[in-house]
Amino acid sequence: MIKLAIKLGTLAPVLLALSTAPSLTPALAAGGGGGGGEASSAMDPGPSYPTSSYPKRSGTKATHKVKKTNKQSSIDDPSFAQGYRAAYATIYDRNDYAAAIEQLKSLGHDDHPNVANLIGYSYRKLGDYKLSQVWYERALKADPNHVLTWQYYGLWQIEQGNRDQAQYHLSRIAAICGTDCEEYRSLAAALEKPPGTGLVY
């Protein structure tokens, strides 16, 4: 009887913690957060705010690690979603990459893979390959299965003449989402072009 009381006493706080824990509800599908300029998909950033990884496939482990901090906004905050969508439009509708970098940094979630990825993309479009690489690496550190970062970083590799590295990025995409996903097809098409061909991604 005493053992049962101890077990119940131990289980109660755990159940209470689980029932009151906030949930992170992903909203953008397929690693969203900026496929518009890279892939031939629509430029719609999706519903409200970014998720960090492609849906889980057998043999892979999709991750979703987002640090909750007391920065300017919470990842669940509608103002974050609105700011993210505004930065997305600044990139893909207006091609104002410098302004988009400032908008994304002001969100206070540089460690979120979609935010870091779009900052990296914007620096790449501005021709700052060193800073672009830093941000792509940051996005992959936050989520090693962030398929869109593997795609964008693969295009970065092609632009730098690192076709073998781009091929590695393509294999990572295949492991995450297969060979039928838009990110795979886009990077594969870029790799099929002869070296030195100017990419428009």
Side-chain angles (χ1 to χ4, degrees):
M1 187 67 152
I2 294 175
K3 286 183 181 180
L4 178 61
I6 291 172
K7 285 181 183 179
L8 289 175
T10 305
L11 185 57
V14 172
L15 291 174
L16 179 62
L18 288 174
S19 68
T20 61
S23 69
L24 290 175
T25 307
L28 277 184
E38 298 294 292
S40 60
S41 61
M43 289 195 191
D44 179 20
S48 64
Y49 55 86
T51 61
S52 65
S53 62
Y54 213 83
K56 189 186 282 191
R57 295 180 53 90
S58 63
T60 65
K61 182 179 178 187
T63 58
H64 186 74
K65 294 180 182 177
V66 177
K67 257 189 203 174
K68 282 217 150 195
T69 62
N70 290 332
K71 291 187 180 179
Q72 294 171 350
S73 63
S74 167
I75 208 86
D76 290 325
D77 187 352
S79 65
F80 171 79
Q82 182 179 5
Y84 182 84
R85 284 193 302 270
Y88 184 96
T90 301
I91 292 170
Y92 295 109
D93 295 343
R94 296 190 295 283
N95 300 325
D96 188 351
Y97 306 110
I101 290 167
E102 293 307 312
Q103 287 175 302
L104 289 162
K105 287 181 177 180
S106 74
L107 294 174
H109 288 284
D110 298 358
D111 56 343
H112 192 283
N114 286 11
V115 173
N117 181 49
L118 282 186
I119 293 171
Y121 173 77
S122 297
Y123 275 121
R124 179 166 66 92
K125 296 304 272 183
L126 290 171
D128 192 333
Y129 288 95
K130 287 282 190 198
L131 274 177
S132 178
Q133 181 178 25
V134 167
W135 286 96
Y136 286 146
E137 294 287 339
R138 182 181 271 193
L140 291 175
K141 183 178 180 187
D143 184 355
N145 290 328
H146 195 255
V147 69
L148 196 60
T149 302
W150 284 110
Q151 177 200 358
Y152 283 23
Y153 200 6
L155 293 166
W156 181 97
Q157 297 288 356
I158 292 172
E159 290 175 359
Q160 297 298 298
N162 305 328
R163 296 181 75 77
D164 289 342
Q165 279 297 313
Q167 190 65 47
Y168 170 74
H169 288 242
L170 187 65
S171 71
R172 290 290 298 134
I173 294 170
I176 298 167
C177 67
T179 58
D180 288 333
C181 65
E182 182 60 36
E183 294 83 359
Y184 182 91
R185 290 193 307 266
S186 173
L187 185 55
L191 273 165
E192 288 176 7
K193 293 181 180 180
T197 303
L199 298 177
V200 287
Y201 298 99

